[in-house]
């Protein structure tokens, strides 16, 4: 059986086909155990080895320095919105937040329950829309902040950081004393990043890594052990790290699938290699949008996301017909988020370039017929 459609869902999102095939093949008998991987003990030696390999592969793919821990947690990125301040903000402390879209807004609102939140810049445009990332030179950073929080890829609006923030002692640089915490849910492993610029990187796995239910956290060791006394043990980075992410039963099947995705990514040549393909995919799609009279992107060119390509039909009365015809053509889940409207094509690592070519061909054909 092969896939009949291209799935542009923002998340849960498509997984690489070879990964799904391997998981299907091994479903009833994992590594000759006669059991499914989801049926074996997380403390058994086979699963422990899988777990260690998944972490080692992630470390290799992202070149994570040795003074960082990789934690597998649960609760998704939204739980981390509370877990981060509970671990890093201190009692009655404060933190800086950059607002670039719906997800960073949610993060800031949640953090405000635990301490003082300073908004370093708010990218909301005139119509209440987020369409760009404020330049670092306009951020109003506070030296007293326990950390600076960013969402480096806003899945809903389709804005994305094109590089790591600048850290240093200069006027507009983020002080090395203020760790940067980044929600990278929707672009982790899609581009090369310099992990050492960040104190903590987190996200849900359900976009570029694997199934929903698994959260990844990459945290610098010196930031571990600062949790608020009321932080639940299962959410305390120290407790999770001391127990090798097995304080409670981890999402074993999710970790298994994430491990297969890491192996797949390594076989593709790693993050730099997939980034080159992601650049080509995004260029193809934005080129088709910019080159048409029917479609438009409303995101500043320099901040456009490679992963979540948002676009609008200039004649919005055609939206329903566009989506229906797209489904008919096997191009699924292109509807934009309800807060933004329009269309969104999520083209994560697992989306082959053929999927983008098929979408572009469909868009041209639709414009010719209906535009
Ligand atoms: C950037 C970003 N942050 C946070 C979330 C929320 O993640 P979760 O549903 O895993 O809590 C999402 C989900 O789509 C997201 O895209």
């Amino acid at each position: 059986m092969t896939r009949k459609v291209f799935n542009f869902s923002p998340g849960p999102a498509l997984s690489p086909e070879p990964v799904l095939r391997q998981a299907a093949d091994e479903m009833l008998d994992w590594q000759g155990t006669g059991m499914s991987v989801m049926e074996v003990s997380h403390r058994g030696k086979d699963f422990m080895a899988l777990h260690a390999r998944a972490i080692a592969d992630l470390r290799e793919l992202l070149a994570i320095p040795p003074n960082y821990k990789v934690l597998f947690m649960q609760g998704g990125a939204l739980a981390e919105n509370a877990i981060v301040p509970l671990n890093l903000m201190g009692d009655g402390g404060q933190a800086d937040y950059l607002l670039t879209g719906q997800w960073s807004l949610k993060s800031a609102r949640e953090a405000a329950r635990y301490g003082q939140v300073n908004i370093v810049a708010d990218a909301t445009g005139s119509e209440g829309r987020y369409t760009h990332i404020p330049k670092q030179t306009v951020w109003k950073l506070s030296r007293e902040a326990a950390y600076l929080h960013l969402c480096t890829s806003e899945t809903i609006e389709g804005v994305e950081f094109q590089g790591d923030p600048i850290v240093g002692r200069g006027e507009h640089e983020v002080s090395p004393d203020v760790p940067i915490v980044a929600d990278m849910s929707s672009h982790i492993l899609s581009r090369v990043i310099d992990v050492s610029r960040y104190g903590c990187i987190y996200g849900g796995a359900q976009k570029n890594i694997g199934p929903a239910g698994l959260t990844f956290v990459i945290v610098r060791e010196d930031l571990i052990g600062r949790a608020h006394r009321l932080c639940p043990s299962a959410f305390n980075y120290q407790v999770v790290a001391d127990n090798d992410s097995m304080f409670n039963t981890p999402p074993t099947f999710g970790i298994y699938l994430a491990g297969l995705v890491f192996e797949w990514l390594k076989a593709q040549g790693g993050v730099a290699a997939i980034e080159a393909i992601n650049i080509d995919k995004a260029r193809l799609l934005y080129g088709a949008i910019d080159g048409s009279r029917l479609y438009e992107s409303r995101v500043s060119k320099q901040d456009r996301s490679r992963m979540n390509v948002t676009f609008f039909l200039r004649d919005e009365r055609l939206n329903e017909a566009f989506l229906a015809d797209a489904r008919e053509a096997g191009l699924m889940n292109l509807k934009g988020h309800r807060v933004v409207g329009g269309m969104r094509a999520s083209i994560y690592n697992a989306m082959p370039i053929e999927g983008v070519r098929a979408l572009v061909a469909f868009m041209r054909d639709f414009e010719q017929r209906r535009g």
Side-chain angles (χ1 to χ4, degrees):
M1 200 172 88
T2 53
R3 287 184 191 274
K4 296 188 178 65
V5 299
F6 289 111
N7 176 12
F8 294 92
S9 168
L14 82 172
S15 290
E17 205 167 311
V19 166
L20 296 181
R21 280 185 197 291
Q22 184 173 342
D25 285 348
E26 295 181 338
M27 187 60 80
L28 295 180
D29 181 8
W30 175 62
Q31 292 189 352
T33 56
M35 291 172 270
S36 169
V37 65
M38 75 175 92
E39 299 171 321
V40 304
S41 166
H42 57 295
R43 299 200 186 279
K45 86 173 167 15
D46 292 339
F47 188 83
M48 296 276 273
L50 176 160
H51 186 258
R53 201 164 50 246
I55 289 178
D57 283 346
L58 182 60
R59 297 192 85 99
E60 183 184 329
L61 284 164
L62 288 174
I64 299 175
N67 62 323
Y68 285 74
K69 289 266 192 258
V70 172
L71 311 178
F72 287 144
M73 298 179 70
Q74 298 174 69
L78 288 190
E80 291 300 322
N81 284 346
I83 294 170
V84 164
L86 276 166
N87 276 276
L88 302 182
M89 213 186 220
D91 210 349
Q94 53 178 293
D96 282 357
Y97 278 73
L98 177 72
L99 302 188
T100 47
Q102 297 300 323
W103 292 117
S104 52
L105 180 63
K106 270 205 165 81
S107 300
R109 287 187 174 150
E110 183 76 7
R113 304 176 65 213
Y114 299 97
Q116 181 182 319
V117 164
N118 312 314
I119 304 300
V120 300
D122 181 350
T124 327
S126 51
E127 290 162 26
R129 295 261 184 264
Y130 295 94
T131 54
H132 77 288
I133 306 225
K135 294 213 169 1
Q136 203 173 320
T137 46
V138 306
W139 298 358
K140 293 202 165 41
L141 299 164
S142 18
R143 298 284 165 189
E144 308 73 38
Y147 59 87
L148 163 67
H149 180 280
L150 315 169
C151 175
T152 45
S153 180
E154 292 277 6
T155 321
I156 293 176
E157 292 82 358
V159 298
E160 179 184 10
F161 273 66
Q162 304 299 321
D164 302 304
I166 318 272
V167 175
R169 300 279 175 201
E171 193 188 350
H172 297 297
E173 295 173 350
V174 181
S175 162
D177 305 330
V178 179
I180 300 174
V181 177
D183 173 357
M184 294 200 185
S185 297
S186 67
H187 72 167
I188 189 77
L189 293 170
S190 72
R191 58 164 65 229
V192 174
I193 54 162
D194 176 0
V195 173
S196 73
R197 303 265 184 109
Y198 303 86
C200 177
I201 295 170
Y202 69 85
Q206 67 271 22
K207 297 161 200 298
N208 248 336
I209 294 187
L214 172 66
T215 314
F216 61 89
V217 177
I218 302 161
V219 58
R220 218 173 58 211
E221 278 170 358
D222 62 294
L223 300 175
I224 297 176
R226 303 182 179 189
H228 191 280
R229 65 194 160 78
L230 293 179
C231 178
S233 304
F235 292 160
N236 184 326
Y237 291 156
Q238 175 92 67
V239 176
V240 179
D242 286 351
N243 287 279
D244 214 3
S245 298
M246 294 200 187
F247 170 71
N248 62 336
T249 311
T252 51
F253 194 67
I255 293 169
Y256 159 74
L257 281 177
L260 294 185
V261 171
F262 300 153
E263 279 172 23
W264 171 82
L265 190 47
K266 281 172 60 176
Q268 307 307 299
V271 176
I274 208 87
E275 176 171 12
I277 298 171
N278 288 333
I279 290 171
D280 286 347
K281 289 184 325 196
R283 203 173 275 155
L284 196 60
L285 189 44
Y286 284 115
I289 294 165
D290 292 340
S292 96
R293 280 200 301 268
L294 178 61
Y295 310 107
E296 66 171 338
S297 158
R298 296 185 186 159
V299 173
S300 300
K301 269 203 169 130
Q302 71 276 10
D303 301 319
R304 287 173 170 182
S305 170
R306 290 180 194 155
M307 294 289 101
N308 309 102
V309 178
T310 53
F311 60 97
F312 294 81
L313 274 64
R314 289 180 206 267
D315 180 353
E316 302 228 332
R317 289 170 306 182
L318 293 176
N319 280 358
E320 286 313 315
F322 178 89
L323 290 167
D325 289 7
R327 277 195 300 272
E328 192 74 15
L331 306 168
M332 315 307 280
N333 296 314
L334 285 165
K335 191 172 180 167
H337 190 277
R338 62 189 140 51
V339 172
V340 172
M343 306 296 155
R344 169 175 51 177
S346 294
I347 49 174
Y348 298 119
N349 286 350
M351 173 61 68
I353 197 153
E354 291 73 33
V356 180
R357 289 205 187 102
L359 174 59
V360 165
F362 165 77
M363 287 167 68
R364 292 207 173 112
D365 174 65
F366 185 83
E367 181 169 1
Q368 270 176 6
R369 286 188 290 112
R370 308 289 302 266

